Amino acid sequence: MIPYGRQHIYQEDIDSVVDVLRSDFLTQGPMVPAFEQAVATRVKACHAVAVNSATSALHIACLALGLKPGDTLWTVPNSFPASANCGLYCGARVDFVDIDPATCNLSIPALEAKLDFARRHDCLPKIVVPVHFAGQPVEQEKIWQLSQQYGFAILEDASHAIGSSRHGEPVGSCRWSHITVFSFHPVKIITTGEGGMATTNDDTLAQAMRLLRSHGITRDSTLFRGQTAAQAGQSSPWYYEQLCLGFNYRMTDMEAALGVSQIKRLDHFVQRRNDISNVYSEQLADLPVRLPHVAQENVSAFHLYSIHLTTTCKDEYARIFNALRQDGIGVNLHYMPIHLHPFYRELGFSEGMFPNAEKHASTELSLPIFPKMSQEEQLHVITMLNKHIMR
Ligand SMILES: *Cc1c(COP(=O)(O)O)cnc(C)c1O
């Protein structure tokens, strides 16, 4: 089966991890800050906080932004459930904003309308989580403008989008948001096995997330606030304080070493993904499918090559999907709308609430795309699409 995505590991990556295994520190060593520095520099953010997954990053980002019971978080239905679950972890309410069918990203007019309604009913969100679907950057500057008007925080889920940019601004620079989150799961653009990162330009948010990822505990005497703080510090190296209820969400040094090595190839990976995407777009132009469109001002990291069947019939979708799988093409659906999972239905969501995301899910196919994909593999995918999708 040709998978929809997979990692590309070089000998240098392996050497980098093995070096850590032979070193003094498997965790809390020098590779974690080195990887954080590499990501911060690359995406032009002041701070980067490494954690063990994007899911953890979303959780501590919400906590750092002050999300609590009684608050509301909004995201899109067209995402992985983690984009919404982070709100529930904090005891907040979760709601959704429908997508724009053209970009498959959060619809700005839908957001604006929902904000207007929410203001009149006194239920404005505390946090909005836009998702850069497939790597295509969201129109962050427009959401930023709305955030100034309505007073919410912006947490970008850029799990698909390290290496993407908009108007030359890298996704993750937080120019138009408070915090951005990346995932380094093996199907994403670069990998650490499991792993995630939160970037921000806000010193206070960065400090809060550093505390939250490691039990809420610090050894930094400038942060101490206990009774003994005065006596502590330089002369009491045994002393540390827990300042809030944190977690163990730390990234290991093996993971960070893999990240340091992988990020050196980020440009190459994004180029390869764009090359593969261009071949698909050329070769599939005659099929009755809608191909992904990247806006002029955007560079997409192409985490996914996402097409839409223009046949709307459910049986036809299933027939094509199953036939492709049978012929060794690891097509996937991104995403089953979050609000239609049984868990979310039990919270009161149902069919018909977010029609664009639902329509998207009934026609979307993610084709295999990954840097190591061979010409032969891509040709096989194209041949099988031609065989199974009727003109
Ligand atoms: C992969 C993914 C996540 C979760 O990432 P993990 O690192 O596996 O926790 C969250 N949101 C989106 C949009 C993703 O694609």
Side-chain angles (χ1 to χ4, degrees), residues 52-56 58 79-80 82-83 131 157 159-160 182-185 188 194-196 303 335:
N52 57 2
S53 71
T55 304
S56 301
L58 287 163
S79 188
F80 188 67
S83 309
V131 179
D157 185 342
S159 292
H160 300 183
F182 295 110
S183 170
F184 307 123
H185 182 279
K188 308 291 164 71
E194 297 284 358
H303 165 56
Y335 286 95

Side-chain angles (χ1 to χ4, degrees), residues 4 8 40 64-65 142 199 228 241 268 294 298-299 307 315 337 388:
Y4 84 88
H8 191 350
L65 289 166
K142 296 184 183 164
T199 60
T228 40
E241 288 189 353
H268 170 70
V294 179
N298 285 349
V299 172
I307 68 172
D315 293 344
H388 295 302

Side-chain angles (χ1 to χ4, degrees), residues 23-317:
S23 78
D24 291 338
F25 297 100
L26 302 188
T27 190
Q28 295 177 287
M31 294 317 287
V32 172
F35 185 38
E36 291 176 335
Q37 189 56 56
V39 171
T41 303
R42 171 62 205 225
V43 306
K44 299 197 166 84
C46 296
H47 306 280
V49 180
V51 285
N52 57 2
S53 71
T55 304
S56 301
L58 287 163
H59 183 194
I60 61 172
C62 285
L63 288 172
L65 289 166
L67 192 71
K68 58 186 188 309
D71 294 333
T72 305
L73 173 145
W74 290 358
T75 187
V76 281
N78 182 36
S79 188
F80 188 67
S83 309
N85 291 344
C86 57
L88 299 179
Y89 293 159
C90 302
R93 258 176 45 88
V94 164
D95 200 355
F96 301 93
V97 181
D98 209 353
I99 58 166
D100 173 343
T103 60
C104 312
N105 281 334
L106 184 142
S107 156
I108 308 290
L111 175 63
E112 205 164 355
K114 197 172 174 102
L115 284 167
D116 183 55
F117 180 90
R119 173 137 78 191
R120 282 184 280 113
H121 294 79
D122 200 23
C123 56
L124 282 167
K126 181 147 195 168
I127 301 178
V128 173
V129 183
V131 179
H132 303 276
F133 178 77
Q136 165 110 278
V138 174
E139 297 158 297
Q140 283 303 135
E141 69 282 1
K142 296 184 183 164
I143 302 178
W144 180 259
Q145 206 176 354
L146 291 170
S147 79
Q148 298 305 296
Q149 210 176 322
Y150 289 92
F152 56 85
I154 305 173
L155 168 54
E156 298 177 62
D157 185 342
S159 292
H160 300 183
I162 194 162
S164 296
S165 61
R166 176 170 171 79
H167 293 299
E169 186 79 26
V171 169
S173 74
C174 299
R175 168 101 191 263
W176 306 117
S177 71
H178 298 87
I179 299 175
T180 302
V181 161
F182 295 110
S183 170
F184 307 123
H185 182 279
V187 296
K188 308 291 164 71
I189 314 292
I190 61 169
T191 190
T192 59
E194 297 284 358
M197 188 82 76
T199 60
T200 184
N201 296 321
D202 184 310
D203 299 350
T204 311
L205 290 175
Q207 192 179 84
M209 290 192 288
R210 286 185 199 288
L211 271 178
L212 286 162
R213 78 165 161 193
S214 194
H215 309 281
I217 285 173
T218 185
R219 288 182 179 275
D220 178 352
S221 62
T222 63
L223 301 179
F224 290 165
R225 55 167 200 260
Q227 292 294 314
T228 40
Q231 306 127 36
Q234 308 275 330
S235 57
S236 318
W238 58 85
Y239 189 81
Y240 60 86
E241 288 189 353
Q242 181 181 345
L243 300 175
C244 63
L245 186 61
F247 308 87
N248 182 351
Y249 283 169
R250 291 187 304 258
M251 178 179 275
T252 68
D253 274 52
M254 285 86 79
E255 291 166 328
L258 185 50
V260 165
S261 181
Q262 283 262 303
I263 201 170
K264 293 178 185 156
R265 300 199 197 260
L266 178 56
D267 288 331
H268 170 70
F269 288 157
V270 170
Q271 187 58 54
R272 278 290 297 143
R273 287 174 174 278
N274 274 269
D275 290 346
I276 293 166
S277 139
N278 288 336
V279 171
Y280 274 140
S281 293
E282 252 171 57
Q283 300 291 315
L284 302 177
D286 292 339
L287 283 180
V289 295
R290 185 157 62 79
L291 302 174
H293 171 72
V294 179
Q296 193 72 49
E297 63 274 20
N298 285 349
V299 172
S300 172
F302 268 102
H303 165 56
L304 302 173
Y305 188 86
S306 168
I307 68 172
H308 291 82
L309 301 178
T310 45
T311 48
T312 45
C313 149
K314 202 171 172 179
D315 293 344
E316 185 62 358
Y317 181 87

Side-chain angles (χ1 to χ4, degrees), residues 1-5 187 280 284 287 289 303-309 316-335 361 363-370 373 377-378 380-386 388-389:
M1 183 83 76
I2 304 172
Y4 84 88
V187 296
Y280 274 140
L284 302 177
L287 283 180
V289 295
H303 165 56
L304 302 173
Y305 188 86
S306 168
I307 68 172
H308 291 82
L309 301 178
E316 185 62 358
Y317 181 87
R319 183 190 66 75
I320 292 169
F321 194 102
N322 290 327
L324 288 167
R325 281 281 180 96
Q326 218 113 58
D327 278 326
I329 317 294
V331 285
N332 250 282
L333 165 62
H334 291 97
Y335 286 95
T363 57
E364 198 270 352
L365 272 184
S366 299
L367 307 184
I369 186 167
F370 48 94
M373 190 178 191
E377 284 174 319
Q378 189 170 18
H380 182 55
V381 176
I382 292 164
T383 308
M384 290 304 134
L385 285 165
N386 273 290
H388 295 302
I389 300 177

